[in-house]
Amino acid sequence: MAAIFSLVAASSFAEFHWFEQPIKMDASLSLLAVGDWGRKGTFNQSRVAEQMGRIGEELDIDFVISVGDNFYDTGLVDVYDKSFEQSFTNIYTAKSLQKQWYAVLGNHDYRGNAVAQLDPILREIDKRWLCMRSFMVHTDIAEFFFIDTTPFVKKYWKHPKKNHYDWRGVAPRKKYVSKVLKDLEMALSKSTSIWKVVIGHHTIRSVSEHGDTEELVDLLLPMLQEYGVDLYMNGHDHCLEHISSDDSPIEFLTTGGGSKAWRGIYNPNKVDTLRLFYDGQGFISLQLTKTDAKVVFYDVNGCILHSWNRTKGWHPYI
Ligand SMILES: *[C@@H]1O[C@H](CO)[C@@H](O)[C@H](O)[C@H]1NC(C)=O
Ligand SMILES: *[C@@H]1O[C@H](CO)[C@@H](O)[C@H](O)[C@H]1NC(C)=O
């Protein structure tokens, strides 16, 4: 069954790069997600990493997701930039974190050499690292759609002389964004997965510093709702948030607490239901089975701040 399923899937997503991620024998999976982290261990990055190691062990995680802003302040200089080891390899050293990492780019990554982070040479330095612009990870019970959200945001394209963004392979914006949306729509429309999770750096809903990202609310959210996406995970705001959509089953999860936090900005949103806003460092875990999803939010000491779960009943494809 699994083999046939992946064969069918493999031929269906020609536009997105696509990876098969094995899960546990009992058809469950667990993972951690963290964002906004690469500061050579400072601002409690190392403490968060240590707790990720402990919780990762407890949950026997299958992989890790990075929601972007991988290297501060301005991404990597090139593939030989020592920040890669100083902020990644030498920080996430726990045994349980020696798994595949799937990463997207954040706006700070675009301010350096964005192309360097995508280079397979980094995988020779640390084989856990896999960063691409937009791609998909397929498992037998869930599909993960990673979206490159930085080019969506119009303000980054203004004043190119003042602010450097590495738009190689991306410009012009309109064409790139419409291609990403078209590919995502194709992938979502063909997905028969029980759980659908979309990952991007920027917020769709947030009550902190950056608030909602208008371009994503306008262009991405309607598609996620149309195709029944269960979870949207992001960083960008350096805090932890759980917001439930009021008009669809989608849950918005902000996991931007990988290092510098405590921004002290809280702007309550008129739309949707806020379940958690924590202004400090931390990370989240996601555990999935065929029928159940569970999300847990942890602080810098690994203490549970909030948890949430959902059960799905009968599913036509299983
Ligand atoms: C790091 O975490 C400790 C323990 O919670 C806290 O006392 C300290 O203020 C944090 N440091 C930063 C820079 O956030
Ligand atoms: C799921 O959430 C409900 C409350 O909404 C709680 O009573 C239950 O214990 C949770 N189940 C798990 C497995 O965490």
Side-chain angles (χ1 to χ4, degrees):
M1 167 76 191
I4 294 166
F5 193 81
S6 4
L7 264 178
V8 172
S11 61
S12 307
F13 307 109
E15 301 296 334
F16 266 156
H17 285 275
W18 179 85
F19 300 90
E20 175 78 34
Q21 167 68 49
I23 57 174
K24 295 179 181 63
M25 293 289 281
D26 65 359
S28 70
L29 75 83
S30 56
L31 63 91
L32 302 180
V34 66
D36 308 81
W37 41 268
R39 295 181 192 271
K40 301 176 182 166
T42 65
F43 291 98
N44 279 345
Q45 187 195 354
S46 297
R47 283 176 96 129
V48 173
E50 199 181 310
Q51 294 306 320
M52 286 173 64
R54 188 173 68 78
I55 302 297
E57 180 87 44
E58 220 170 79
L59 301 181
D60 185 20
I61 56 163
D62 298 284
F63 59 99
V64 181
I65 288 174
S66 167
V67 297
D69 275 5
N70 305 319
F71 302 98
Y72 282 100
D73 240 357
T74 53
L76 295 180
V77 171
D78 57 30
V79 291
Y80 304 107
D81 189 334
K82 286 287 166 225
S83 312
F84 180 69
E85 282 131 302
Q86 290 163 346
S87 286
F88 178 59
T89 308
N90 301 345
I91 301 294
Y92 301 101
T93 51
K95 187 162 162 270
S96 69
L97 304 179
Q98 306 306 308
K99 302 281 158 62
Q100 183 66 63
W101 282 55
Y102 297 107
V104 287
L105 296 169
N107 50 306
H108 282 266
D109 300 312
Y110 265 99
R111 288 166 64 175
N113 182 338
V115 176
Q117 290 196 45
L118 315 173
D119 198 308
I121 288 179
L122 292 184
R123 262 165 261 165
E124 288 167 26
I125 300 170
D126 191 321
K127 66 175 178 355
R128 295 177 287 175
W129 186 252
L130 202 156
C131 181
M132 298 189 93
R133 292 194 200 274
S134 297
F135 63 104
M136 247 184 90
V137 172
H138 170 86
T139 75
D140 285 346
I141 59 167
E143 270 167 349
F144 299 83
F145 305 84
F146 293 77
I147 304 301
D148 185 19
T149 57
T150 304
F152 280 70
V153 181
K154 286 182 194 149
K155 70 173 183 210
Y156 302 139
W157 294 82
K158 289 183 182 154
H159 317 297
K161 289 227 169 75
K162 206 171 99 210
N163 304 308
H164 168 80
Y165 285 87
D166 182 2
W167 297 130
R168 282 179 291 166
V170 173
R173 173 186 174 272
K174 256 196 166 158
K175 194 170 164 211
Y176 179 77
V177 165
S178 71
K179 169 106 170 87
V180 171
L181 290 169
K182 190 172 140 262
D183 292 350
L184 176 64
E185 178 152 38
M186 164 105 61
L188 283 173
S189 70
K190 290 187 173 170
S191 175
T192 54
S193 190
I194 304 173
W195 301 102
K196 296 183 186 71
V197 181
V198 173
I199 295 106
H201 177 66
H202 290 79
T203 57
I204 291 182
R205 293 277 181 243
S206 171
V207 298
S208 193
E209 183 181 4
H210 298 292
D212 302 356
T213 306
E214 263 176 56
E215 293 87 343
L216 298 188
V217 172
D218 292 347
L219 299 170
L220 190 60
L221 181 57
M223 195 183 291
L224 307 193
Q225 292 181 313
E226 180 180 350
Y227 292 101
V229 168
D230 301 283
L231 308 171
Y232 178 73
M233 284 186 196
N234 62 271
H236 199 45
D237 271 331
H238 297 178
C239 59
L240 303 175
E241 301 176 87
H242 175 202
I243 298 170
S244 297
S245 166
D246 285 345
D247 53 9
S248 69
I250 193 168
E251 306 289 330
F252 304 104
L253 313 172
T254 297
T255 177
S259 61
K260 196 177 185 179
W262 304 111
R263 194 70 182 78
I265 296 178
Y266 172 62
N267 279 321
N269 215 317
K270 285 181 287 299
V271 288
D272 296 333
T273 300
L274 179 63
R275 301 196 185 278
L276 172 75
F277 170 59
Y278 177 71
D279 195 26
Q281 285 111 358
F283 58 98
I284 67 175
S285 68
L286 170 63
Q287 296 161 265
L288 293 174
T289 69
K290 282 181 190 175
T291 52
D292 293 281
K294 183 174 183 185
V295 177
V296 182
F297 292 74
Y298 308 86
D299 71 8
V300 67
N301 298 312
C303 298
I304 294 179
L305 296 164
H306 169 64
S307 74
W308 167 91
N309 65 73
R310 172 174 294 152
T311 299
K312 269 191 195 181
W314 177 83
H315 188 279
Y317 303 105
I318 292 293

